[in-house]
């Protein structure tokens, strides 16, 4: 009843402007951001949601827990480097890792379309189990629904995850402060291009595979190294640009990054030029940004570079005490403001 | 890799028999049961899934937790007595309660179809918040995806839930034993008929509303009364019949129930007769069965009858030491075996 009184019975998204849900409302960009800020956060108002983090963190008894969820609607369901099953496991494992939690248990909710090939479902289920074993988590509870032909798209998977936080760090966007270094864990854009290529039947000289990977063991190494981590965020829908804009907004500080420090593989860059995409906005499923005190940069990079999923990690910028926003120093030396896209360059990327 | 070695790369559901997913695979009956037993349980093999319970129960630190998930694809999304939002909250609250847990936190994953009216989404979101407040849980983390027009059906919602178990009871189907009383918390079949009526535009003399309700406060009263609860199961897809068959199978004992003890409202019974449905298989969203020692029956009924959502509770049968299965003593005095339906009388009921 409180929500109703405080926010009124009127829909807070201007109906005249957006009377219907658009693809962009799920794209990880500005419209999705508006939907969350104007509808979900006020309706479900509570301090945990207010953290604007990849998951909720709370205590039960003596345990400090993280809890997160994502639905996966990627199309096509099989793509170079992964499938909807491995994505559904790694995506939720990574959201828990970004909270500084050790992922423990996952749930799986399947929404199947009548007529889906049973063999495909089995391939996906096996892929989920392999991904769970690699990440060291167990799929412990689930649900299956089937919808009529033409009312779904083969398979949608929701995973939720529970993890435990075993240290005293507070890791969330509000901990980011001027003087922090911004570290990117590797090259960007491969997931987006891999999906695009699979969807459109494009062929590049070398196969571009999704970077889909579990980040929890790398994050664990960072925590075990005693680093004073302020924030981590994995780069999914909306890419590096959207993640940084969100963190700048939540923290109230400016993030300054340099384009020349951001690693993009030549084949990904080439594909972007042909297709007219900006790698800054392309989705990734095994990359994250890390914020921690400048003085710990070298130690953090040493830990990351020693790990398979952080081999290409580099410092790409810093947090400044200017007013908030994201500034990119481009290859030619000019500074420009980085903003969110309205939606996403590619819908249904995850 | 273990799963692959143990179960082989071959899909364990006979492809020749079911090369494609059928509506019945999500119906709560025999085919869904087979899909879970032959595909999900072996692939994700772990002791927690093996419990065949409404949720997984595990310890983190000193806390004993329950974790569960359900996706909701009910059609229509608004129906007498509720909507997909209240259903998504109450359904997951009830699954936690059935584990004997106090529900704490819920996640919400939305899969929206492009073109859905924003105003409808807002009504559903508000309904979720009202249901969460009534049940005393917080919606703390979420996700939104949008799929292309014609690839979804307005809205699907997944909720997962975390609850805490604050007592030493073990509550699951394996605790059911001969001599236990079987108690049903109220009249059955209203949710199924309410959905059917809304879907088909049927009108009855009196409006039949869904029984959709949170069961956690009633369960809490039962636990606080110190009753030795062996098992609880809410009656959703597949109805009372499927819930009892599953419990009989998991426990290895026979359940004997009497039709005359099972409460069905006259208007629901009438609708069933017109439509050719059996109330034993109709879905409910605010009803459960309780198994506990016969000697505690009167105390349990006193607690239940004092609560809004257990006012119609009654003892409907007992667990015997015969070989397993469910036996119904019919109105005319004959015993018959109760089995699962292949699918569900009504698809997309929840």
């Amino acid at each position: 009843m409180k929500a109703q009184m405080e926010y009124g019975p009127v829909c807070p998204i201007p109906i005249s402007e957006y009377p219907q849900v658009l693809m962009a409302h799920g794209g990880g960009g500005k419209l999705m951001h508006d939907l969350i800020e104007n509808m979900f956060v006020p309706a479900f108002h509570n301090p945990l949601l207010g953290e604007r983090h990849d998951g909720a963190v709370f205590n039960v008894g003596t345990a400090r827990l993280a809890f997160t969820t994502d639905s996966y609607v990627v199309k096509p369901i099989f793509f170079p480097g992964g499938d909807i099953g491995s994505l559904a496991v790694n995506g939720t494992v990574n959201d828990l890792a970004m909270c500084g939690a050790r992922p423990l248990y996952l749930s799986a909710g399947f929404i199947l379309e009548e007529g889906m090939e049973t063999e495909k479902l089995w391939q996906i289920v096996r892929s989920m189990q392999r991904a769970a074993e690699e990440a060291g988590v167990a799929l412990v509870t689930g649900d299956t629904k089937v919808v009529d032909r033409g009312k779904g798209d083969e398979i949608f998977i929701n995973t939720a995850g529970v993890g435990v936080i075993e240290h005293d760090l507070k890791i969330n966007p509000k901990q980011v402060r001027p003087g922090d270094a911004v570290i990117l864990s590797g090259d960007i854009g491969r997931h987006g291009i891999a999906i695009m290529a699979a969807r459109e039947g494009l062929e590049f000289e070398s196969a571009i595979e999704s970077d889909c990977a579990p980040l929890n063991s790398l994050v664990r190494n960072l925590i075990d190294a005693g680093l004073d981590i302020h924030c981590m965020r994995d780069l999914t829908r909306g890419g590096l640009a959207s993640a940084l804009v969100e963190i700048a907004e939540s923290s109230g500080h400016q993030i300054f990054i340099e384009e020349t420090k951001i690693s993009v593989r030549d084949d990904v860059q080439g594909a972007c030029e042909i297709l007219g995409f900006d790698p800054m906005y392309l989705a990734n499923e095994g990359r994250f940004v890390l914020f921690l005190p400048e003085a710990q940069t070298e130690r953090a990079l040493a830990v990351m570079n020693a790990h398979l999923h952080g081999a290409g990690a580099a410092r790409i910028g810093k947090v400044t005490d200017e007013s908030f926003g994201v500034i990119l120093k481009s290859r030619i030396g000019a500074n420009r403001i980085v903003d969110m896209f309205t939606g996403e360059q590619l819908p249904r990327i995850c």
Side-chain angles (χ1 to χ4, degrees), chain A:
Chain A
M1 288 295 109
K2 252 193 296 177
Q4 193 178 338
M5 284 165 55
E6 280 176 32
Y7 302 97
V10 177
C11 176
I13 301 278
I15 297 280
S16 56
E17 199 174 345
Y18 298 111
Q20 296 188 333
V21 171
L22 307 178
M23 289 303 287
H25 280 117
K30 204 188 294 289
L31 277 192
M32 191 175 91
H33 185 77
D34 288 353
L35 186 69
I36 293 168
E37 294 297 321
N38 296 330
M39 187 180 289
F40 296 126
V41 171
F44 302 150
H45 63 115
N46 66 64
L48 293 173
L49 254 189
E51 295 277 343
R52 312 286 194 280
H53 201 21
D54 276 345
V57 173
F58 47 78
N59 293 308
V60 182
T62 57
R64 194 155 157 240
L65 301 173
F67 178 37
T68 187
T69 192
D70 263 323
S71 297
Y72 298 86
V73 301
V74 66
K75 192 175 180 178
I77 55 178
F78 298 97
F79 51 83
D83 56 62
I84 193 171
S86 57
L87 194 66
V89 170
N90 287 330
T92 292
V93 161
N94 291 348
D95 280 345
L96 291 172
M98 294 301 107
C99 298
R102 180 163 63 89
L104 298 173
Y105 300 109
L106 260 51
S107 65
F110 297 93
I111 299 176
L112 309 177
E113 184 190 7
E114 181 187 22
M116 183 196 186
E117 288 174 36
T118 315
E119 177 62 32
K120 281 190 189 173
L121 177 60
W122 175 237
Q123 295 303 332
I124 289 164
V125 163
R126 280 179 60 219
S127 169
M128 292 180 80
Q129 177 60 14
R130 280 195 302 273
E133 286 178 17
E134 191 189 339
V137 297
L139 287 148
V140 294
T141 190
D143 174 58
T144 310
K145 295 291 189 304
V146 181
V147 295
D148 338 39
R149 215 179 279 260
K151 299 296 183 185
D153 199 3
E154 288 196 291
I155 181 169
F156 303 140
I157 304 177
N158 176 284
T159 50
V162 173
V164 61
I165 297 174
E166 298 164 311
H167 52 78
D168 294 326
L169 293 169
K170 276 197 175 148
I171 299 176
N172 69 58
K174 294 198 195 307
Q175 309 303 317
V176 169
R177 58 200 65 163
D180 280 0
V182 183
I183 295 175
L184 174 62
S185 69
D187 67 296
I188 58 170
R190 275 195 280 134
H191 180 71
I193 296 295
I195 295 293
M196 180 67 190
R199 195 179 294 170
E200 305 297 334
L202 301 178
E203 280 184 30
F204 303 109
E205 260 183 54
S206 55
I208 298 177
E209 294 200 334
S210 168
D211 53 280
C212 183
L215 296 171
N216 53 325
S217 82
L218 172 52
V219 166
R220 187 153 195 179
N221 291 354
L222 287 166
I223 291 167
D224 287 350
L227 294 163
D228 187 20
I229 300 167
H230 290 164
C231 186
M232 297 181 282
R233 178 67 55 97
D234 58 338
L235 313 177
T236 57
R237 281 180 285 182
L240 176 61
S242 303
L244 292 178
V245 170
E246 275 184 15
I247 291 170
E249 192 172 304
S250 300
S251 71
H253 300 300
Q254 187 178 84
I255 299 172
F256 176 86
I257 53 170
E258 297 177 63
E259 193 173 15
T260 55
K261 307 272 179 73
I262 298 167
S263 170
V264 181
R265 263 178 28 179
D266 286 346
D267 51 4
V268 171
Q269 188 67 52
C272 278
E273 280 161 20
I274 293 165
L275 299 166
F277 290 148
D278 182 342
M280 288 283 290
Y281 294 91
L282 281 179
N284 312 266
E285 290 292 339
R287 294 289 177 254
F288 69 108
V289 282
L290 167 69
F291 293 77
L292 85 180
E294 181 72 46
Q296 299 184 359
T297 305
E298 292 311 312
R299 277 174 58 208
L301 285 174
V303 171
M304 294 176 82
N305 292 154
H307 192 286
L308 174 66
H309 300 315
R315 180 187 175 287
I316 61 164
K318 63 184 177 187
V319 179
T320 77
D321 50 11
E322 303 284 317
S323 61
F324 75 97
V326 177
I327 304 294
L328 176 85
K329 185 179 168 190
S330 75
R331 227 165 270 281
I332 54 164
N335 285 353
R336 68 172 175 87
I337 295 171
V338 176
D339 205 350
M340 284 186 185
F341 263 39
T342 305
E344 155 69 73
Q345 297 179 118
L346 291 167
R348 295 185 59 186
I349 201 77
C350 60

